[in-house]
Amino acid sequence: GINAEYGAPGVLRDSIIISYCTIDSKRYLCSDDKGLLFILTLVTDQADVVTDIQMILLGETTIASCLAYLDNSVVYIGSAQGDSQLIHINPGRTSNDELHLTVLETYANLGSITDMCI
């Protein structure tokens, strides 16, 4: 069977994944309804059969409506509920408290315009 390894099992248990994107054929970014960003990795054997699934918490971002992996560990996070962000995924942690994300740019959300006259 497939065993799942979670970087933050309690957090993941309470998460509802609402957006995802592909990094490559074995890695995916997933964002939940609270703005937490995870990386899902499919571990395969030599025959390219999935033997394990690893899901690791990368950090907290804006609540994503869409995710787009651009290149070189840079991700655009589009949000309908908050400010959109351009983030960089750092390769590792320097301490247990520091997460894997650096916000490169924040784009202000103008929000829904409901009283506009045409």
Side-chain angles (χ1 to χ4, degrees):
I2 296 176
N3 296 317
E5 176 185 317
Y6 305 109
V11 173
L12 188 59
R13 192 173 312 122
D14 298 331
S15 293
I16 299 171
I17 301 300
I18 58 172
S19 186
Y20 71 94
C21 72
T22 303
I23 296 175
D24 56 36
S25 64
K26 296 179 184 172
R27 296 182 303 156
Y28 302 85
L29 287 174
C30 305
S31 181
D32 76 356
D33 57 334
K34 297 172 201 69
L36 299 177
L37 187 66
F38 300 90
I39 186 165
L40 181 138
T41 304
L42 302 175
V43 180
T44 59
D45 60 13
Q46 292 176 344
D48 215 23
V49 175
V50 176
T51 58
D52 198 7
I53 299 173
Q54 297 175 341
M55 195 153 188
I56 298 170
L57 174 64
L58 295 177
E60 188 172 355
T61 66
T62 188
I63 297 173
S65 298
C66 64
L67 295 172
Y69 182 80
L70 302 176
D71 199 11
N72 296 324
S73 301
V74 176
V75 180
Y76 176 77
I77 301 172
S79 179
Q81 299 175 1
D83 294 343
S84 298
Q85 294 177 322
L86 189 66
I87 63 165
H88 181 263
I89 300 172
N90 303 319
R93 298 179 185 201
T94 56
S95 70
N96 288 338
D97 297 330
E98 187 177 330
L99 295 176
H100 295 275
L101 304 177
T102 302
V103 177
L104 300 175
E105 191 77 35
T106 300
Y107 306 99
N109 182 353
L110 298 176
S112 301
I113 300 173
T114 58
D115 61 348
M116 183 173 144
C117 295
I118 297 178

